[in-house]
Amino acid sequence: MKTIYLAGGCFWGLQKFFDQFEGIISTQTGYANGNTENPTYEDVKHNHSGHTETVKIEYDESVITLTKILEYYFLAIDPYSVNKQGEDEGENYRTGIYYDDDSLLPEIKKEFERQEQIEGQKFVVELLPLKNYYSAEEYHQKYLEKNPSGYCHLPLKLFTLAKDSEKTL
């Protein structure tokens, strides 16, 4: 089992998006790479703690590769938007790929650079070692499962990507 941390705007939608893929063992919403310990949602949203809303993804690399996870990630974000995804704005909505295992970096860099080459310009997505990570409050975990009509900046079609791709095979 491996772990990667992805920030892509509001973590509710990103968590729901990644939960659909085979090989994703677990996801957890949380706050990463900030300047304080044990932040609350209010700290992150209003007190400029420096954290970004992040999804911790544990995956089985024999079922889904990190490269594939990152391909999906780049489908779900605007890699040119600074501190903004959809209607969500602020440093807590910045995009980022964070790792706590240096052995993942070559694969991350390779896919990151491939995606930039496809797009033809540099991304503003952070690519950094994980400095810190704190789990979000329980009400943020699987939020869109508990609140199906809750706000999400991601297009609804992304939540059925795995199912829809099975139909076309």
Side-chain angles (χ1 to χ4, degrees):
M1 182 172 64
K2 299 278 187 176
T3 304
I4 191 72
Y5 301 80
L6 301 175
C10 176
F11 50 23
W12 297 340
L14 202 60
Q15 180 178 42
K16 182 176 174 80
F17 175 66
F18 278 105
D19 279 343
Q20 72 182 299
F21 300 112
E22 189 176 337
I24 301 297
I25 296 166
S26 70
T27 59
Q28 179 186 69
T29 57
Y31 314 113
N33 282 22
N35 304 318
T36 61
E37 292 184 15
N38 300 309
T40 65
Y41 180 72
E42 292 303 313
D43 294 333
V44 172
K45 185 144 182 85
H46 301 293
N47 296 332
H48 307 291
S49 69
H51 294 87
T52 185
E53 291 189 16
T54 302
V55 178
K56 175 183 179 182
I57 299 172
E58 295 180 327
Y59 62 99
D60 179 345
E61 65 183 334
S62 71
V63 179
I64 188 167
T65 65
L66 179 55
T67 297
K68 192 61 166 174
I69 290 169
L70 294 175
E71 284 178 14
Y72 289 140
Y73 172 71
F74 284 112
L75 287 175
I77 66 162
D78 175 351
Y80 307 112
S81 184
V82 177
N83 296 338
K84 183 177 184 333
Q85 292 290 303
E87 298 300 312
D88 299 315
E89 290 188 59
E91 71 179 338
N92 55 308
Y93 296 117
R94 70 186 183 273
T95 54
I97 301 169
Y98 309 111
Y99 56 93
D100 61 1
D101 177 350
D102 289 339
S103 72
L104 299 178
L105 189 55
E107 188 175 0
I108 294 168
K109 279 186 172 180
K110 183 177 179 182
E111 182 57 23
F112 192 96
E113 290 166 2
R114 187 181 82 82
Q115 290 289 333
E116 281 185 329
Q117 191 171 36
I118 289 168
E119 294 296 321
Q121 56 184 320
K122 293 282 184 199
F123 293 159
V124 296
V125 178
E126 292 182 331
L127 176 52
L128 298 168
L130 185 70
K131 182 167 78 172
N132 53 45
Y133 173 83
Y134 301 95
S135 177
E137 296 83 349
E138 182 56 36
Y139 72 93
H140 288 296
Q141 306 301 329
K142 311 288 186 196
Y143 182 87
L144 292 177
E145 296 301 318
K146 299 175 205 170
N147 302 280
S149 60
Y151 166 76
C152 182
H153 70 283
L154 295 177
L156 292 177
K157 68 181 179 182
L158 286 181
F159 297 135
T160 59
L161 189 65
K163 205 179 303 176
D164 294 343
S165 64
E166 286 176 12
K167 292 177 188 174
T168 59
L169 296 177

